[in-house]
């Protein structure tokens, strides 16, 4: 899969494709249905399938502090899109210049001049352009003028409810990982590099791997039974994800993972943490002694849940 960062990096060879546009946060079952349709039209027309995404996501640009938590970072999203058979991703920087494009300018600069789109697959509630003035009807009319077809993606439902990133965030917040797996088509996981942290866990007799999140907000909060994959090997563990209210921190979410019955150096390695079950909410303790006792209780609970 080819990644193109910005309109300025599009070349004549990139013109002529079928495309879809969106955040694709989580690349869940609803997104996967759109991508399946994209592949169908790609095969029919003999053209590459292109996904147009934005960084940051629009709501993160307009209101970063209140934007919904990311389900997937850009790197993970690209891996998931590649697994769905996407040929090309055009990643547009969502900035003032892009925000101020009218709907007509977006169609002309991105879809027509940039990509030479022959078919466009979007949700029927898709809005774009300055003040979100462009909609599905506008795209249909634009397609007639510029020579591309437009199709509305069918809504994917589970138990009568639409599968969406918003619903998935709520399901994760509720700790329903079985339903999350059904909506995603895979278990929910977070991948990041193990970084040096405060090393407080080591002093508390609970060494943890500090996994880089690169998020302003995390989709989970609390202590969980997890499995972790490092260097192709799976390990059973317990993880805390949150702002660590007992110790003075930076106010950002952190993911700390303790691997049960493991001894080794994890610094610098990429770890994929899969969440299976919530043990408790994150809480503030009055002392480090109380925190240490709670951590050991969490380890015992995780061991019992793992059957160790």
């Amino acid at each position: 899969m080819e990644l193109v960062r910005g309109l300025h990096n599009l070349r004549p060879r990139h013109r002529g494709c079928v495309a879809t546009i969106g955040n694709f946060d989580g690349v869940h079952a609803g997104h996967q249905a759109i991508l399946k349709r994209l592949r169908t039209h790609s095969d029919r027309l003999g053209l590459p399938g292109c996904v147009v995404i934005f960084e940051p996501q629009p709501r993160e640009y307009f209101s970063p502090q209140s934007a919904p938590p990311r389900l997937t970072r850009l790197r993970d999203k690209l891996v998931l899109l590649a697994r769905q058979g996407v040929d090309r991703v055009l990643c547009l920087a969502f900035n003032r210049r892009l925000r101020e494009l009218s709907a007509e300018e977006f169609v002309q600069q991105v879809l027509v001049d940039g990509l030479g789109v022959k078919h466009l697959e979007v949700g029927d509630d898709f809005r774009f352009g300055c003040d979100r003035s462009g909609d599905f009807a506008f795209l249909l009319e634009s397609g007639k003028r510029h020579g591309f077809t437009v199709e509305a993606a069918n809504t994917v439902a589970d138990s009568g409810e639409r599968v969406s990133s918003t619903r998935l965030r709520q399901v994760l917040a509720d700790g329903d990982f079985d339903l999350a797996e059904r909506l995603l088509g895979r278990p929910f996981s977070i991948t990041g590099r193990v970084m040096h942290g405060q090393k407080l866990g080591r002093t508390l007799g609970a060494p943890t791997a500090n996994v880089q999140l690169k998020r302003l907000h995390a989709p989970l909060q609390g202590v969980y039974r997890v499995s972790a994959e490092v260097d192709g090997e799976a390990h059973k563990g317990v993880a805390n994800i949150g702002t660590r209210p007992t110790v003075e921190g930076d106010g950002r979410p952190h993911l700390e993972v303790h691997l049960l019955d493991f001894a080794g150096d994890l610094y610098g390695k990429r770890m994929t943490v899969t969440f299976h079950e919530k043990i408790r909410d994150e809480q503030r303790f009055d002392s480090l002694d109380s925190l240490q006792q709670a951590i050991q209780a969490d380890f015992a609970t995780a061991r019992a849940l793992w059957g160790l």
Side-chain angles (χ1 to χ4, degrees):
M1 186 183 76
E2 180 184 14
L3 171 63
V4 181
R5 298 294 294 259
L7 282 177
H8 62 285
N9 283 318
L10 287 173
R11 300 293 179 262
R13 64 182 178 84
H14 293 128
R15 288 181 51 77
C17 67
V18 298
T20 185
I21 309 171
N23 288 323
F24 286 87
D25 189 23
V27 194
H28 51 63
H31 296 142
Q32 292 164 29
I34 294 174
L35 298 174
K36 183 178 180 180
R37 295 288 302 171
L38 191 74
R39 292 195 304 273
T40 297
H41 288 290
S42 175
D43 293 341
R44 176 176 63 85
L45 296 174
L47 294 172
C50 179
V51 176
V52 182
I53 60 174
F54 307 96
E55 281 292 330
Q57 293 175 174
R59 290 182 66 181
E60 294 171 340
Y61 173 83
F62 287 110
S63 184
Q65 294 303 322
S66 61
R70 281 277 187 122
L71 298 171
T72 45
R73 296 188 306 162
L74 175 61
R75 177 173 180 155
D76 303 322
K77 185 188 300 185
L78 294 174
V79 170
L80 293 169
L81 290 173
R83 289 176 183 170
Q84 292 297 315
V86 173
D87 298 303
R88 182 178 301 140
V89 171
L90 172 61
C91 183
L92 299 177
F94 198 92
N95 51 28
R96 181 177 177 180
R97 180 176 176 276
L98 186 68
R99 178 179 70 88
E100 292 179 349
L101 289 181
S102 67
E104 180 59 45
E105 289 170 333
F106 184 91
V107 168
Q108 186 68 51
Q109 294 182 28
V110 178
L111 302 182
V112 179
D113 297 338
L115 292 173
V117 167
K118 299 303 179 184
H119 175 79
L120 185 64
E121 191 82 12
V122 294
D124 58 8
D125 59 350
F126 178 66
R127 303 299 294 256
F128 66 101
C130 183
D131 299 325
R132 294 167 56 85
S133 57
D135 57 11
F136 184 75
F138 182 87
L139 285 172
L140 283 174
E141 190 273 331
S142 297
K144 292 175 182 177
R145 288 189 290 111
H146 293 289
F148 61 85
T149 55
V150 184
E151 185 176 49
N154 294 327
T155 296
V156 174
D158 180 273
S159 301
E161 291 188 59
R162 181 173 176 264
V163 178
S164 68
S165 299
T166 299
R167 184 184 176 198
L168 187 52
R169 292 185 190 98
Q170 185 58 57
V171 167
L172 289 171
D174 293 341
D176 191 342
F177 292 104
D178 289 336
L179 179 53
E181 181 172 355
R182 201 162 75 227
L183 300 182
L184 284 167
R186 64 184 187 279
F188 177 74
S189 64
I190 293 177
T191 299
R193 196 171 299 279
V194 178
M195 308 296 290
H196 288 277
Q198 294 178 321
K199 299 182 173 60
L200 179 62
R202 187 177 301 173
T203 66
L204 296 174
T208 57
N210 184 36
V211 180
Q212 199 173 32
L213 279 176
K214 289 190 174 180
R215 290 169 168 89
L216 279 177
H217 313 289
L220 297 173
Q221 176 273 327
V223 180
Y224 299 86
R225 177 174 68 93
V226 301
S227 56
E229 183 178 323
V230 185
D231 291 337
E233 293 188 5
H235 305 272
K236 296 178 174 66
V238 57
N240 180 84
I241 183 167
T243 57
R244 303 182 296 193
T246 303
V247 299
E248 186 176 348
D250 55 11
R252 296 174 67 94
H254 294 264
L255 172 57
E256 298 170 303
V257 183
H258 175 77
L259 302 183
L260 302 170
D261 303 320
F262 174 86
D265 185 4
L266 296 171
Y267 291 120
K269 296 182 181 292
R270 289 188 64 78
M271 178 184 288
T272 297
V273 183
T274 300
F275 294 81
H276 300 288
E277 189 172 358
K278 188 168 186 176
I279 295 175
R280 65 172 175 86
D281 289 333
E282 186 180 48
Q283 62 189 97
R284 186 184 187 282
F285 295 94
D286 294 332
S287 67
L288 290 181
D289 286 341
S290 298
L291 173 61
Q292 185 177 28
Q293 292 173 18
I295 290 173
Q296 293 304 321
D298 294 336
F299 291 175
T301 300
R303 284 184 174 279
L305 292 171
W306 278 116
L308 299 177

